[in-house]
PDB file of all heavy atoms in Angstrom:
ATOM      1  N   GLU W 346      16.325  14.638   8.673  1.00 98.00           N
ATOM      2  CA  GLU W 346      17.241  14.159   9.705  1.00 98.00           C
ATOM      3  C   GLU W 346      18.093  12.928   9.282  1.00 98.00           C
ATOM      4  O   GLU W 346      19.186  12.892   9.433  1.00 98.00           O
ATOM      5  CB  GLU W 346      16.570  13.952  10.988  1.00 98.00           C
ATOM      6  CG  GLU W 346      15.913  15.220  11.655  1.00 98.00           C
ATOM      7  CD  GLU W 346      15.110  15.064  12.831  1.00 98.00           C
ATOM      8  OE1 GLU W 346      14.781  13.925  13.174  1.00 98.00           O
ATOM      9  OE2 GLU W 346      14.840  16.061  13.502  1.00 98.00           O
ATOM     10  N   ARG W 353      19.639  -2.253  -4.829  1.00 98.00           N
ATOM     11  CA  ARG W 353      20.228  -3.517  -5.175  1.00 98.00           C
ATOM     12  C   ARG W 353      19.976  -3.885  -6.649  1.00 98.00           C
ATOM     13  O   ARG W 353      18.848  -3.787  -7.057  1.00 98.00           O
ATOM     14  CB  ARG W 353      19.659  -4.605  -4.224  1.00 98.00           C
ATOM     15  CG  ARG W 353      20.208  -4.515  -2.852  1.00 98.00           C
ATOM     16  CD  ARG W 353      19.190  -3.947  -1.837  1.00 98.00           C
ATOM     17  NE  ARG W 353      19.735  -3.429  -0.578  1.00 98.00           N
ATOM     18  CZ  ARG W 353      19.206  -3.758   0.552  1.00 98.00           C
ATOM     19  NH1 ARG W 353      18.220  -4.529   0.696  1.00 98.00           N
ATOM     20  NH2 ARG W 353      19.795  -3.277   1.700  1.00 98.00           N
ATOM     21  N   HIS W 393      31.970   7.336   5.825  1.00 98.00           N
ATOM     22  CA  HIS W 393      32.621   6.022   6.151  1.00 98.00           C
ATOM     23  C   HIS W 393      32.013   4.909   5.335  1.00 98.00           C
ATOM     24  O   HIS W 393      30.800   4.850   5.206  1.00 98.00           O
ATOM     25  CB  HIS W 393      32.490   5.733   7.607  1.00 98.00           C
ATOM     26  CG  HIS W 393      33.295   4.520   8.053  1.00 98.00           C
ATOM     27  ND1 HIS W 393      32.773   3.273   8.101  1.00 98.00           N
ATOM     28  CD2 HIS W 393      34.629   4.346   8.332  1.00 98.00           C
ATOM     29  CE1 HIS W 393      33.770   2.353   8.436  1.00 98.00           C
ATOM     30  NE2 HIS W 393      34.892   3.050   8.632  1.00 98.00           N
ATOM     31  N   GLY W 396      32.619  -2.532   2.842  1.00 98.00           N
ATOM     32  CA  GLY W 396      32.343  -3.189   1.567  1.00 98.00           C
ATOM     33  C   GLY W 396      32.772  -4.723   1.747  1.00 98.00           C
ATOM     34  O   GLY W 396      33.711  -5.001   2.565  1.00 98.00           O
ATOM     35  N   LEU W 399      30.694 -10.747  -1.304  1.00 98.00           N
ATOM     36  CA  LEU W 399      29.755 -11.857  -0.864  1.00 98.00           C
ATOM     37  C   LEU W 399      29.126 -12.529  -2.114  1.00 98.00           C
ATOM     38  O   LEU W 399      28.631 -13.628  -2.050  1.00 98.00           O
ATOM     39  CB  LEU W 399      28.729 -11.343   0.044  1.00 98.00           C
ATOM     40  CG  LEU W 399      29.217 -10.711   1.360  1.00 98.00           C
ATOM     41  CD1 LEU W 399      28.060 -10.206   2.137  1.00 98.00           C
ATOM     42  CD2 LEU W 399      30.062 -11.696   2.099  1.00 98.00           C
ATOM     43  N   HIS W 416      27.843   5.372   5.271  1.00 98.00           N
ATOM     44  CA  HIS W 416      27.012   6.440   5.880  1.00 98.00           C
ATOM     45  C   HIS W 416      27.782   7.714   5.912  1.00 98.00           C
ATOM     46  O   HIS W 416      29.070   7.690   5.992  1.00 98.00           O
ATOM     47  CB  HIS W 416      26.406   5.993   7.254  1.00 98.00           C
ATOM     48  CG  HIS W 416      27.315   5.595   8.316  1.00 98.00           C
ATOM     49  ND1 HIS W 416      26.928   4.966   9.442  1.00 98.00           N
ATOM     50  CD2 HIS W 416      28.661   5.759   8.457  1.00 98.00           C
ATOM     51  CE1 HIS W 416      27.923   4.744  10.241  1.00 98.00           C
ATOM     52  NE2 HIS W 416      29.040   5.184   9.649  1.00 98.00           N
ATOM     53  N   GLN W 418      27.607  12.200   6.963  1.00 98.00           N
ATOM     54  CA  GLN W 418      26.950  13.205   7.858  1.00 98.00           C
ATOM     55  C   GLN W 418      27.292  14.590   7.293  1.00 98.00           C
ATOM     56  O   GLN W 418      28.372  14.818   6.828  1.00 98.00           O
ATOM     57  CB  GLN W 418      27.400  13.005   9.260  1.00 98.00           C
ATOM     58  CG  GLN W 418      26.427  13.742  10.240  1.00 98.00           C
ATOM     59  CD  GLN W 418      26.702  13.363  11.714  1.00 98.00           C
ATOM     60  OE1 GLN W 418      27.739  12.732  12.011  1.00 98.00           O
ATOM     61  NE2 GLN W 418      25.771  13.565  12.545  1.00 98.00           N
ATOM     62  N   SER W 421      25.732  20.019   9.667  1.00 97.00           N
ATOM     63  CA  SER W 421      24.620  20.324  10.663  1.00 97.00           C
ATOM     64  C   SER W 421      24.202  19.005  11.420  1.00 97.00           C
ATOM     65  O   SER W 421      23.320  19.154  12.272  1.00 97.00           O
ATOM     66  CB  SER W 421      23.453  21.007  10.014  1.00 97.00           C
ATOM     67  OG  SER W 421      22.730  20.025   9.323  1.00 97.00           O
ATOM     68  N   VAL W 426      22.349   7.200   4.886  1.00 98.00           N
ATOM     69  CA  VAL W 426      22.775   5.776   5.059  1.00 98.00           C
ATOM     70  C   VAL W 426      22.485   5.132   3.707  1.00 98.00           C
ATOM     71  O   VAL W 426      21.285   5.184   3.252  1.00 98.00           O
ATOM     72  CB  VAL W 426      22.059   5.107   6.184  1.00 98.00           C
ATOM     73  CG1 VAL W 426      22.328   3.630   6.190  1.00 98.00           C
ATOM     74  CG2 VAL W 426      22.424   5.732   7.513  1.00 98.00           C
ATOM     75  N   ARG W 432      23.492  -8.123  -6.173  1.00 97.00           N
ATOM     76  CA  ARG W 432      22.618  -9.277  -6.310  1.00 97.00           C
ATOM     77  C   ARG W 432      21.329  -9.056  -5.644  1.00 97.00           C
ATOM     78  O   ARG W 432      21.266  -8.710  -4.449  1.00 97.00           O
ATOM     79  CB  ARG W 432      23.288 -10.457  -5.737  1.00 97.00           C
ATOM     80  CG  ARG W 432      22.292 -11.664  -5.469  1.00 97.00           C
ATOM     81  CD  ARG W 432      22.987 -12.967  -5.169  1.00 97.00           C
ATOM     82  NE  ARG W 432      23.806 -12.942  -4.050  1.00 97.00           N
ATOM     83  CZ  ARG W 432      24.713 -13.866  -3.657  1.00 97.00           C
ATOM     84  NH1 ARG W 432      24.990 -14.868  -4.482  1.00 97.00           N
ATOM     85  NH2 ARG W 432      25.438 -13.725  -2.565  1.00 97.00           N
ATOM     86  N   THR W 434      17.676 -11.299  -5.882  1.00 97.00           N
ATOM     87  CA  THR W 434      16.830 -12.344  -6.605  1.00 97.00           C
ATOM     88  C   THR W 434      15.502 -11.740  -7.068  1.00 97.00           C
ATOM     89  O   THR W 434      14.860 -12.361  -7.920  1.00 97.00           O
ATOM     90  CB  THR W 434      16.576 -13.571  -5.795  1.00 97.00           C
ATOM     91  OG1 THR W 434      15.987 -13.198  -4.589  1.00 97.00           O
ATOM     92  CG2 THR W 434      17.933 -14.264  -5.417  1.00 97.00           C
ATOM     93  N   TYR W 435      15.084 -10.730  -6.413  1.00 97.00           N
ATOM     94  CA  TYR W 435      13.697 -10.189  -6.591  1.00 97.00           C
ATOM     95  C   TYR W 435      13.668  -8.977  -7.504  1.00 97.00           C
ATOM     96  O   TYR W 435      12.479  -8.405  -7.602  1.00 97.00           O
ATOM     97  CB  TYR W 435      13.094  -9.879  -5.193  1.00 97.00           C
ATOM     98  CG  TYR W 435      14.027  -9.095  -4.315  1.00 97.00           C
ATOM     99  CD1 TYR W 435      13.892  -7.688  -4.309  1.00 97.00           C
ATOM    100  CD2 TYR W 435      14.927  -9.697  -3.576  1.00 97.00           C
ATOM    101  CE1 TYR W 435      14.708  -6.941  -3.511  1.00 97.00           C
ATOM    102  CE2 TYR W 435      15.831  -8.966  -2.756  1.00 97.00           C
ATOM    103  CZ  TYR W 435      15.706  -7.601  -2.710  1.00 97.00           C
ATOM    104  OH  TYR W 435      16.514  -6.846  -1.979  1.00 97.00           O
ATOM    105  N   ARG W 440      14.768   1.708  -3.099  1.00 98.00           N
ATOM    106  CA  ARG W 440      13.815   2.297  -2.051  1.00 98.00           C
ATOM    107  C   ARG W 440      14.514   3.442  -1.309  1.00 98.00           C
ATOM    108  O   ARG W 440      15.743   3.388  -0.990  1.00 98.00           O
ATOM    109  CB  ARG W 440      13.376   1.267  -1.071  1.00 98.00           C
ATOM    110  CG  ARG W 440      12.360   0.331  -1.678  1.00 98.00           C
ATOM    111  CD  ARG W 440      12.130  -0.916  -0.836  1.00 98.00           C
ATOM    112  NE  ARG W 440      13.279  -1.706  -0.787  1.00 98.00           N
ATOM    113  CZ  ARG W 440      13.754  -2.360   0.325  1.00 98.00           C
ATOM    114  NH1 ARG W 440      13.063  -2.267   1.422  1.00 98.00           N
ATOM    115  NH2 ARG W 440      14.741  -3.122   0.252  1.00 98.00           N
ATOM    116  N   GLU W 442      14.010   6.489   1.813  1.00 98.00           N
ATOM    117  CA  GLU W 442      13.159   6.828   2.966  1.00 98.00           C
ATOM    118  C   GLU W 442      13.829   8.074   3.689  1.00 98.00           C
ATOM    119  O   GLU W 442      15.046   8.121   3.839  1.00 98.00           O
ATOM    120  CB  GLU W 442      13.174   5.656   3.885  1.00 98.00           C
ATOM    121  CG  GLU W 442      12.531   5.986   5.186  1.00 98.00           C
ATOM    122  CD  GLU W 442      12.427   4.719   6.061  1.00 98.00           C
ATOM    123  OE1 GLU W 442      12.012   3.646   5.432  1.00 98.00           O
ATOM    124  OE2 GLU W 442      12.761   4.777   7.227  1.00 98.00           O
ATOM    125  N   HIS W 444      13.551  10.467   6.964  1.00 98.00           N
ATOM    126  CA  HIS W 444      12.933  10.782   8.283  1.00 98.00           C
ATOM    127  C   HIS W 444      13.197  12.230   8.715  1.00 98.00           C
ATOM    128  O   HIS W 444      14.314  12.704   8.553  1.00 98.00           O
ATOM    129  CB  HIS W 444      13.679   9.892   9.318  1.00 98.00           C
ATOM    130  CG  HIS W 444      13.220  10.025  10.722  1.00 98.00           C
ATOM    131  ND1 HIS W 444      12.223   9.216  11.291  1.00 98.00           N
ATOM    132  CD2 HIS W 444      13.511  10.911  11.686  1.00 98.00           C
ATOM    133  CE1 HIS W 444      11.988   9.554  12.498  1.00 98.00           C
ATOM    134  NE2 HIS W 444      12.809  10.663  12.764  1.00 98.00           N
ATOM    135  N   LYS W 447       9.118  16.268  11.442  1.00 98.00           N
ATOM    136  CA  LYS W 447       7.691  16.146  11.540  1.00 98.00           C
ATOM    137  C   LYS W 447       7.073  14.946  10.904  1.00 98.00           C
ATOM    138  O   LYS W 447       5.805  14.864  10.784  1.00 98.00           O
ATOM    139  CB  LYS W 447       7.035  17.432  10.814  1.00 98.00           C
ATOM    140  CG  LYS W 447       7.367  18.691  11.537  1.00 98.00           C
ATOM    141  CD  LYS W 447       6.695  19.895  10.932  1.00 98.00           C
ATOM    142  CE  LYS W 447       7.109  21.179  11.633  1.00 98.00           C
ATOM    143  NZ  LYS W 447       6.794  22.359  10.811  1.00 98.00           N
ATOM    144  N   GLY W 448       7.845  14.018  10.491  1.00 98.00           N
ATOM    145  CA  GLY W 448       7.300  12.774   9.871  1.00 98.00           C
ATOM    146  C   GLY W 448       8.280  12.141   9.027  1.00 98.00           C
ATOM    147  O   GLY W 448       9.410  12.447   8.964  1.00 98.00           O
ATOM    148  N   LEU W 449       7.713  11.114   8.279  1.00 98.00           N
ATOM    149  CA  LEU W 449       8.558  10.342   7.387  1.00 98.00           C
ATOM    150  C   LEU W 449       7.955  10.264   6.002  1.00 98.00           C
ATOM    151  O   LEU W 449       6.759  10.112   5.898  1.00 98.00           O
ATOM    152  CB  LEU W 449       8.682   8.908   8.018  1.00 98.00           C
ATOM    153  CG  LEU W 449       9.474   7.832   7.261  1.00 98.00           C
ATOM    154  CD1 LEU W 449      10.132   6.964   8.285  1.00 98.00           C
ATOM    155  CD2 LEU W 449       8.519   6.997   6.431  1.00 98.00           C
ATOM    156  N   GLN W 527      39.104   3.859   7.590  1.00 97.00           N
ATOM    157  CA  GLN W 527      38.703   5.029   8.312  1.00 97.00           C
ATOM    158  C   GLN W 527      37.758   5.980   7.723  1.00 97.00           C
ATOM    159  O   GLN W 527      37.669   5.914   6.467  1.00 97.00           O
ATOM    160  CB  GLN W 527      40.031   5.746   8.836  1.00 97.00           C
ATOM    161  CG  GLN W 527      40.937   4.855   9.698  1.00 97.00           C
ATOM    162  CD  GLN W 527      40.143   4.359  10.968  1.00 97.00           C
ATOM    163  OE1 GLN W 527      38.971   4.771  11.193  1.00 97.00           O
ATOM    164  NE2 GLN W 527      40.735   3.408  11.702  1.00 97.00           N
ATOM    165  N   ALA W 528      37.150   6.815   8.499  1.00 98.00           N
ATOM    166  CA  ALA W 528      36.282   7.861   8.011  1.00 98.00           C
ATOM    167  C   ALA W 528      37.106   8.878   7.253  1.00 98.00           C
ATOM    168  O   ALA W 528      38.225   9.098   7.554  1.00 98.00           O
ATOM    169  CB  ALA W 528      35.477   8.491   9.099  1.00 98.00           C
TER     170      ALA W 528
ATOM    171  N   GLU G 217      23.233 -11.222   4.082  1.00 98.00           N
ATOM    172  CA  GLU G 217      24.253 -10.298   3.532  1.00 98.00           C
ATOM    173  C   GLU G 217      24.212  -8.911   4.159  1.00 98.00           C
ATOM    174  O   GLU G 217      25.225  -8.344   4.537  1.00 98.00           O
ATOM    175  CB  GLU G 217      24.226 -10.189   2.051  1.00 98.00           C
ATOM    176  CG  GLU G 217      24.523 -11.601   1.377  1.00 98.00           C
ATOM    177  CD  GLU G 217      24.387 -11.634  -0.111  1.00 98.00           C
ATOM    178  OE1 GLU G 217      23.797 -10.684  -0.720  1.00 98.00           O
ATOM    179  OE2 GLU G 217      24.925 -12.636  -0.746  1.00 98.00           O
ATOM    180  N   ARG G 224      13.006   4.090  15.845  1.00 98.00           N
ATOM    181  CA  ARG G 224      12.781   5.507  16.263  1.00 98.00           C
ATOM    182  C   ARG G 224      11.762   5.564  17.382  1.00 98.00           C
ATOM    183  O   ARG G 224      10.757   4.957  17.333  1.00 98.00           O
ATOM    184  CB  ARG G 224      12.292   6.329  15.054  1.00 98.00           C
ATOM    185  CG  ARG G 224      13.395   6.620  14.027  1.00 98.00           C
ATOM    186  CD  ARG G 224      13.331   5.733  12.847  1.00 98.00           C
ATOM    187  NE  ARG G 224      14.483   5.653  12.019  1.00 98.00           N
ATOM    188  CZ  ARG G 224      14.490   5.875  10.725  1.00 98.00           C
ATOM    189  NH1 ARG G 224      13.387   6.147  10.084  1.00 98.00           N
ATOM    190  NH2 ARG G 224      15.616   5.720  10.103  1.00 98.00           N
ATOM    191  N   HIS G 264      31.478   1.458  12.927  1.00 98.00           N
ATOM    192  CA  HIS G 264      31.604   2.910  12.827  1.00 98.00           C
ATOM    193  C   HIS G 264      30.300   3.659  13.177  1.00 98.00           C
ATOM    194  O   HIS G 264      29.261   3.212  12.716  1.00 98.00           O
ATOM    195  CB  HIS G 264      32.130   3.290  11.400  1.00 98.00           C
ATOM    196  CG  HIS G 264      32.380   4.778  11.303  1.00 98.00           C
ATOM    197  ND1 HIS G 264      31.513   5.699  10.972  1.00 98.00           N
ATOM    198  CD2 HIS G 264      33.545   5.444  11.600  1.00 98.00           C
ATOM    199  CE1 HIS G 264      32.058   6.920  10.954  1.00 98.00           C
ATOM    200  NE2 HIS G 264      33.360   6.839  11.390  1.00 98.00           N
ATOM    201  N   GLY G 267      26.662  10.388  14.883  1.00 98.00           N
ATOM    202  CA  GLY G 267      25.645  10.728  15.883  1.00 98.00           C
ATOM    203  C   GLY G 267      25.453  12.291  15.742  1.00 98.00           C
ATOM    204  O   GLY G 267      26.385  13.002  15.432  1.00 98.00           O
ATOM    205  N   LEU G 270      19.900  16.680  16.892  1.00 98.00           N
ATOM    206  CA  LEU G 270      18.904  17.337  16.011  1.00 98.00           C
ATOM    207  C   LEU G 270      17.615  17.563  16.687  1.00 98.00           C
ATOM    208  O   LEU G 270      16.795  18.324  16.289  1.00 98.00           O
ATOM    209  CB  LEU G 270      18.697  16.562  14.682  1.00 98.00           C
ATOM    210  CG  LEU G 270      19.999  16.247  13.893  1.00 98.00           C
ATOM    211  CD1 LEU G 270      19.645  15.427  12.639  1.00 98.00           C
ATOM    212  CD2 LEU G 270      20.712  17.576  13.394  1.00 98.00           C
ATOM    213  N   HIS G 287      27.159   1.538  11.350  1.00 98.00           N
ATOM    214  CA  HIS G 287      27.172   0.303  10.557  1.00 98.00           C
ATOM    215  C   HIS G 287      28.332  -0.524  11.029  1.00 98.00           C
ATOM    216  O   HIS G 287      29.320  -0.069  11.541  1.00 98.00           O
ATOM    217  CB  HIS G 287      27.193   0.591   9.029  1.00 98.00           C
ATOM    218  CG  HIS G 287      28.231   1.437   8.504  1.00 98.00           C
ATOM    219  ND1 HIS G 287      28.212   1.935   7.237  1.00 98.00           N
ATOM    220  CD2 HIS G 287      29.391   1.812   8.951  1.00 98.00           C
ATOM    221  CE1 HIS G 287      29.251   2.625   7.030  1.00 98.00           C
ATOM    222  NE2 HIS G 287      29.999   2.527   8.022  1.00 98.00           N
ATOM    223  N   GLN G 289      30.460  -4.625  10.454  1.00 98.00           N
ATOM    224  CA  GLN G 289      30.735  -5.651   9.547  1.00 98.00           C
ATOM    225  C   GLN G 289      31.340  -6.954  10.256  1.00 98.00           C
ATOM    226  O   GLN G 289      32.103  -6.740  11.218  1.00 98.00           O
ATOM    227  CB  GLN G 289      31.700  -5.233   8.378  1.00 98.00           C
ATOM    228  CG  GLN G 289      31.719  -6.123   7.174  1.00 98.00           C
ATOM    229  CD  GLN G 289      32.403  -5.528   5.997  1.00 98.00           C
ATOM    230  OE1 GLN G 289      33.142  -4.555   6.113  1.00 98.00           O
ATOM    231  NE2 GLN G 289      32.145  -6.043   4.772  1.00 98.00           N
ATOM    232  N   SER G 292      33.350 -12.257   7.912  1.00 97.00           N
ATOM    233  CA  SER G 292      33.093 -12.823   6.618  1.00 97.00           C
ATOM    234  C   SER G 292      32.568 -11.811   5.665  1.00 97.00           C
ATOM    235  O   SER G 292      32.236 -12.145   4.525  1.00 97.00           O
ATOM    236  CB  SER G 292      32.098 -13.951   6.745  1.00 97.00           C
ATOM    237  OG  SER G 292      30.801 -13.500   6.969  1.00 97.00           O
ATOM    238  N   VAL G 297      23.333  -2.389   9.411  1.00 98.00           N
ATOM    239  CA  VAL G 297      23.201  -0.889   9.340  1.00 98.00           C
ATOM    240  C   VAL G 297      22.027  -0.536  10.277  1.00 98.00           C
ATOM    241  O   VAL G 297      20.926  -1.136  10.163  1.00 98.00           O
ATOM    242  CB  VAL G 297      22.847  -0.488   7.914  1.00 98.00           C
ATOM    243  CG1 VAL G 297      22.487   0.960   7.916  1.00 98.00           C
ATOM    244  CG2 VAL G 297      24.018  -0.689   7.019  1.00 98.00           C
ATOM    245  N   ARG G 303      13.064  10.846  18.136  1.00 97.00           N
ATOM    246  CA  ARG G 303      11.842  11.539  17.841  1.00 97.00           C
ATOM    247  C   ARG G 303      11.162  10.924  16.544  1.00 97.00           C
ATOM    248  O   ARG G 303      11.829  10.693  15.530  1.00 97.00           O
ATOM    249  CB  ARG G 303      12.108  12.974  17.434  1.00 97.00           C
ATOM    250  CG  ARG G 303      11.031  13.664  16.625  1.00 97.00           C
ATOM    251  CD  ARG G 303      11.154  15.204  16.596  1.00 97.00           C
ATOM    252  NE  ARG G 303      12.392  15.591  15.857  1.00 97.00           N
ATOM    253  CZ  ARG G 303      12.830  16.742  15.981  1.00 97.00           C
ATOM    254  NH1 ARG G 303      12.271  17.737  16.636  1.00 97.00           N
ATOM    255  NH2 ARG G 303      13.923  17.098  15.265  1.00 97.00           N
ATOM    256  N   THR G 305       7.249  11.460  14.930  1.00 98.00           N
ATOM    257  CA  THR G 305       5.920  11.944  15.168  1.00 98.00           C
ATOM    258  C   THR G 305       4.870  10.851  14.920  1.00 98.00           C
ATOM    259  O   THR G 305       3.674  11.029  15.326  1.00 98.00           O
ATOM    260  CB  THR G 305       5.561  13.093  14.133  1.00 98.00           C
ATOM    261  OG1 THR G 305       5.754  12.616  12.812  1.00 98.00           O
ATOM    262  CG2 THR G 305       6.471  14.276  14.347  1.00 98.00           C
ATOM    263  N   TYR G 306       5.216   9.778  14.303  1.00 97.00           N
ATOM    264  CA  TYR G 306       4.274   8.765  13.915  1.00 97.00           C
ATOM    265  C   TYR G 306       4.266   7.513  14.694  1.00 97.00           C
ATOM    266  O   TYR G 306       3.572   6.549  14.435  1.00 97.00           O
ATOM    267  CB  TYR G 306       4.494   8.376  12.378  1.00 97.00           C
ATOM    268  CG  TYR G 306       5.966   8.113  12.067  1.00 97.00           C
ATOM    269  CD1 TYR G 306       6.447   6.826  12.218  1.00 97.00           C
ATOM    270  CD2 TYR G 306       6.842   9.114  11.816  1.00 97.00           C
ATOM    271  CE1 TYR G 306       7.769   6.494  11.970  1.00 97.00           C
ATOM    272  CE2 TYR G 306       8.151   8.871  11.546  1.00 97.00           C
ATOM    273  CZ  TYR G 306       8.656   7.544  11.648  1.00 97.00           C
ATOM    274  OH  TYR G 306       9.992   7.297  11.462  1.00 97.00           O
ATOM    275  N   ARG G 311      11.495  -1.245  12.455  1.00 98.00           N
ATOM    276  CA  ARG G 311      11.546  -2.071  11.173  1.00 98.00           C
ATOM    277  C   ARG G 311      12.836  -2.730  10.915  1.00 98.00           C
ATOM    278  O   ARG G 311      13.874  -2.121  11.250  1.00 98.00           O
ATOM    279  CB  ARG G 311      11.176  -1.178  10.022  1.00 98.00           C
ATOM    280  CG  ARG G 311       9.682  -0.881   9.977  1.00 98.00           C
ATOM    281  CD  ARG G 311       9.363   0.281   8.996  1.00 98.00           C
ATOM    282  NE  ARG G 311       9.982   1.534   9.380  1.00 98.00           N
ATOM    283  CZ  ARG G 311      10.550   2.334   8.606  1.00 98.00           C
ATOM    284  NH1 ARG G 311      10.685   2.090   7.271  1.00 98.00           N
ATOM    285  NH2 ARG G 311      11.073   3.470   9.048  1.00 98.00           N
ATOM    286  N   GLU G 313      15.038  -5.438   8.198  1.00 98.00           N
ATOM    287  CA  GLU G 313      15.102  -6.011   6.883  1.00 98.00           C
ATOM    288  C   GLU G 313      16.358  -6.816   6.721  1.00 98.00           C
ATOM    289  O   GLU G 313      17.404  -6.306   7.138  1.00 98.00           O
ATOM    290  CB  GLU G 313      14.956  -4.843   5.903  1.00 98.00           C
ATOM    291  CG  GLU G 313      15.223  -5.189   4.515  1.00 98.00           C
ATOM    292  CD  GLU G 313      14.985  -3.929   3.648  1.00 98.00           C
ATOM    293  OE1 GLU G 313      14.009  -3.281   3.809  1.00 98.00           O
ATOM    294  OE2 GLU G 313      15.813  -3.820   2.708  1.00 98.00           O
ATOM    295  N   HIS G 315      18.622  -8.792   3.891  1.00 98.00           N
ATOM    296  CA  HIS G 315      18.885  -9.108   2.431  1.00 98.00           C
ATOM    297  C   HIS G 315      19.834 -10.295   2.498  1.00 98.00           C
ATOM    298  O   HIS G 315      20.886 -10.279   3.120  1.00 98.00           O
ATOM    299  CB  HIS G 315      19.554  -7.868   1.791  1.00 98.00           C
ATOM    300  CG  HIS G 315      19.913  -8.054   0.353  1.00 98.00           C
ATOM    301  ND1 HIS G 315      19.022  -7.681  -0.663  1.00 98.00           N
ATOM    302  CD2 HIS G 315      20.996  -8.648  -0.231  1.00 98.00           C
ATOM    303  CE1 HIS G 315      19.611  -7.952  -1.863  1.00 98.00           C
ATOM    304  NE2 HIS G 315      20.778  -8.566  -1.556  1.00 98.00           N
ATOM    305  N   LYS G 318      19.456 -15.296  -1.477  1.00 98.00           N
ATOM    306  CA  LYS G 318      18.280 -15.839  -2.239  1.00 98.00           C
ATOM    307  C   LYS G 318      17.045 -14.986  -2.039  1.00 98.00           C
ATOM    308  O   LYS G 318      16.034 -15.446  -2.619  1.00 98.00           O
ATOM    309  CB  LYS G 318      18.097 -17.259  -1.736  1.00 98.00           C
ATOM    310  CG  LYS G 318      19.179 -18.200  -2.078  1.00 98.00           C
ATOM    311  CD  LYS G 318      18.792 -19.590  -1.805  1.00 98.00           C
ATOM    312  CE  LYS G 318      19.911 -20.590  -2.092  1.00 98.00           C
ATOM    313  NZ  LYS G 318      19.824 -21.896  -1.406  1.00 98.00           N
ATOM    314  N   GLY G 319      17.130 -13.867  -1.476  1.00 98.00           N
ATOM    315  CA  GLY G 319      15.924 -13.030  -1.267  1.00 98.00           C
ATOM    316  C   GLY G 319      15.972 -12.152  -0.121  1.00 98.00           C
ATOM    317  O   GLY G 319      17.066 -11.992   0.453  1.00 98.00           O
ATOM    318  N   LEU G 320      14.845 -11.475   0.201  1.00 98.00           N
ATOM    319  CA  LEU G 320      14.881 -10.504   1.279  1.00 98.00           C
ATOM    320  C   LEU G 320      13.653 -10.813   2.241  1.00 98.00           C
ATOM    321  O   LEU G 320      12.584 -11.236   1.713  1.00 98.00           O
ATOM    322  CB  LEU G 320      14.673  -9.139   0.625  1.00 98.00           C
ATOM    323  CG  LEU G 320      14.548  -7.949   1.559  1.00 98.00           C
ATOM    324  CD1 LEU G 320      15.140  -6.729   0.872  1.00 98.00           C
ATOM    325  CD2 LEU G 320      13.074  -7.622   1.832  1.00 98.00           C
ATOM    326  N   GLN G 398      36.487   7.647  14.390  1.00 97.00           N
ATOM    327  CA  GLN G 398      37.011   6.543  13.495  1.00 97.00           C
ATOM    328  C   GLN G 398      36.379   5.181  13.779  1.00 97.00           C
ATOM    329  O   GLN G 398      35.668   5.053  14.763  1.00 97.00           O
ATOM    330  CB  GLN G 398      38.594   6.523  13.792  1.00 97.00           C
ATOM    331  CG  GLN G 398      39.365   7.731  13.284  1.00 97.00           C
ATOM    332  CD  GLN G 398      39.070   7.972  11.754  1.00 97.00           C
ATOM    333  OE1 GLN G 398      38.427   7.137  11.076  1.00 97.00           O
ATOM    334  NE2 GLN G 398      39.517   9.167  11.320  1.00 97.00           N
ATOM    335  N   ALA G 399      36.582   4.234  12.894  1.00 98.00           N
ATOM    336  CA  ALA G 399      36.085   2.983  13.037  1.00 98.00           C
ATOM    337  C   ALA G 399      36.796   2.249  14.209  1.00 98.00           C
ATOM    338  O   ALA G 399      37.947   2.506  14.473  1.00 98.00           O
ATOM    339  CB  ALA G 399      36.212   2.176  11.740  1.00 98.00           C
TER     340      ALA G 399
END
Side-chain angles (χ1 to χ4, degrees):
Chain W
E346 295 177 347
R353 286 103 199 231
H393 186 267
L399 303 177
H416 61 194
Q418 196 166 19
S421 77
V426 171
R432 161 169 62 196
T434 58
Y435 49 92
R440 286 168 293 142
E442 172 175 315
H444 180 95
K447 293 185 182 162
L449 176 147
Q527 293 305 353
Chain G
E217 296 177 348
R224 286 102 199 231
H264 187 267
L270 304 176
H287 61 193
Q289 196 165 19
S292 76
V297 171
R303 161 168 63 195
T305 58
Y306 49 92
R311 285 169 293 141
E313 171 176 316
H315 179 95
K318 294 186 181 160
L320 177 147
Q398 293 304 352

